[in-house]
Amino acid sequence: MTEAANPVQSRDSNSPQESRPWSRMACALLFIITGIWHFVQPRPFIAIVPAMLPFPAAIVYVTGAWEILGGIGLLTRRYRKWAAIALVALLVAVFPANINMAVNHITLGLPEPVLWLRLPLQFVLIFWVLAASRDTGGSQ
């Protein structure tokens, strides 16, 4: 049955097609705000960059810009797929920093168990980005 044939179903707020724009917006805002935070408060991000990597501050600023651009890209139909690919690549690229944080007990004020819970959260974020990038045919 098409949406036009069943207008009640198309207005159902539990419908994935109805909720996806809100989920996409939330996902995009998460990345945009986190990216901005890389510039506002870079020290915590610099602290978790693995010691073997050169220029940790530059890495933090580049990943912050990457997050901002990726978040904005998720909000535009034209760049949504590319933004998702870039954000998934970013999530994979920064995973060693999350491992470094947990293994080396860089708590930054977080409870120790949270450091380990962040690791599987990375996979949840990857799934969320991919889900947010799916086009629903709406205006966004």
Side-chain angles (χ1 to χ4, degrees):
M1 189 177 281
T2 66
E3 287 184 36
N6 189 349
V8 174
Q9 183 179 6
S10 67
R11 285 188 227 130
D12 180 7
S13 63
N14 294 325
S15 163
Q17 289 187 346
E18 285 295 317
S19 64
R20 190 167 292 140
W22 292 105
S23 177
R24 180 182 302 124
M25 178 70 76
C27 185
L29 285 176
L30 172 76
F31 281 99
I32 292 167
I33 291 167
T34 304
I36 291 169
W37 204 246
H38 280 67
F39 293 93
V40 174
Q41 288 290 326
R43 285 190 179 156
F45 297 101
I46 292 170
I48 66 171
V49 173
M52 70 178 110
L53 296 176
F55 312 111
I59 290 170
V60 167
Y61 294 129
V62 167
T63 57
W66 195 339
E67 287 184 272
I68 294 167
L69 292 173
I72 292 169
L74 279 181
L75 298 175
T76 61
R77 177 175 280 163
R78 182 175 186 178
Y79 298 110
R80 189 170 296 147
K81 295 290 183 190
W82 289 107
I85 292 167
L87 287 172
V88 168
L90 174 71
L91 289 166
V92 171
V94 300
F95 193 65
N98 293 341
I99 293 170
N100 182 51
M101 193 174 182
V103 169
N104 292 312
H105 313 284
I106 306 169
T107 65
L108 300 175
L110 296 171
E112 189 88 21
V114 171
L115 305 180
W116 293 99
L117 291 173
R118 287 186 72 216
L119 299 178
L121 177 64
Q122 206 78 350
F123 298 101
V124 173
L125 288 173
I126 289 171
F127 175 78
W128 191 14
V129 166
L130 293 174
S133 72
R134 291 193 189 95
D135 207 346
T136 61
S139 61
Q140 284 194 340

